[in-house]
Amino acid sequence: NVLQFNRVDYLAVAYADEGVELRKNGITLPIMVMNPELRSFEVMIQYNLEPDIYSLNLLEKFSETLALLRHGSTDKYNIHLELETGMNRLGFNKEDITELTERIKMNSQLQIASVFSHLAASEDPAYDDFTQEQIRNFEEMSSAICNQFDYKIIRHILNSNGITRHTKAQFDMVRLGIGLYG
């Protein structure tokens, strides 16, 4: 409630049940779910929670659920695309971008709210060269996606440590997590 009162633009939660709890307690801000699970898609759509999509398979499964639950709807549903820039965890690779953008263009119910990535070592000066390479990869990949759509797509890569150490990579939004605690 404090964050909403202070006009934060977005919230992010790890799992859908956390977003549901926020909705039930009066939070109306957009909420991104960082770890969407197939079994949570229905409740995410019911509570207007926005999934992090990080694979073509996940995009397909979410699209199928959305089509079933919102059959005939012309309203757009926000999704967030996670890019793999060097953390080697989850996300779309460069070679996925063409197919990814084509699939989203063909789905009239989807809209990209944001494109993002994670920095693996933003807190450690010993890895600044690697961090800068991640930022360059993100710039290239996110631009390739954004240039395919005629609406504004938010871009973000900085976490709490990145906000203070890599200020030139703020793009459109930053993700203040642990930094909220001081």
Side-chain angles (χ1 to χ4, degrees):
N1 283 319
V2 170
L3 296 173
Q4 183 167 272
F5 177 78
N6 284 290
R7 298 185 209 152
V8 168
D9 294 315
Y10 249 94
L11 296 176
V13 295
Y15 299 101
D17 59 337
E18 297 167 329
V20 169
E21 196 62 33
L22 291 173
R23 290 282 188 246
K24 287 180 177 179
N25 284 287
I27 301 301
T28 58
L29 288 169
I31 301 173
M32 179 168 85
V33 178
M34 302 295 283
N35 301 298
E37 299 170 308
L38 296 176
R39 62 182 166 75
S40 68
F41 284 170
E42 287 186 30
V43 75
M44 288 178 63
I45 294 166
Q46 178 185 352
Y47 285 92
N48 195 29
L49 304 174
E50 303 172 6
D52 161 10
I53 302 293
Y54 51 81
S55 72
L56 292 171
N57 182 53
L58 192 64
L59 176 65
E60 181 180 335
K61 298 294 185 197
F62 185 76
S63 295
E64 289 170 359
T65 304
L66 187 63
L68 284 172
L69 295 180
R70 298 177 85 205
H71 181 71
S73 174
T74 58
D75 293 339
K76 298 284 189 180
Y77 199 92
N78 282 343
I79 61 172
H80 302 264
L81 303 179
E82 183 173 349
L83 304 180
E84 170 50 57
T85 59
M87 193 164 185
N88 297 316
R89 193 173 62 179
L90 295 172
F92 292 100
N93 293 305
K94 288 179 187 178
E95 52 273 3
D96 297 326
I97 290 176
T98 300
E99 185 175 353
L100 170 65
T101 56
E102 288 305 314
R103 285 189 187 191
I104 293 171
K105 284 179 186 179
M106 291 187 318
N107 189 326
S108 63
Q109 291 189 316
L110 294 179
Q111 179 166 292
I112 305 168
S114 82
V115 177
F116 72 99
S117 190
H118 298 285
L119 296 175
S122 63
E123 72 285 352
D124 192 340
Y127 293 100
D128 281 354
D129 288 344
F130 178 72
T131 297
Q132 290 306 310
E133 181 65 24
Q134 280 195 270
I135 292 167
R136 282 189 294 278
N137 288 339
F138 177 72
E139 170 68 39
E140 177 186 338
M141 293 169 69
S142 64
S143 291
I145 293 169
C146 293
N147 290 337
Q148 295 295 314
F149 297 90
D150 62 358
Y151 55 86
K152 174 71 174 158
I153 298 172
I154 298 167
R155 298 189 301 164
H156 50 104
I157 193 169
L158 295 184
N159 56 7
S160 293
N161 284 310
I163 292 167
T164 58
R165 297 202 63 254
H166 303 280
T167 59
K168 291 182 180 173
Q170 290 186 3
F171 293 94
D172 303 307
M173 183 164 70
V174 296
R175 298 186 309 270
L176 184 63
I178 193 73
L180 284 170
Y181 299 98

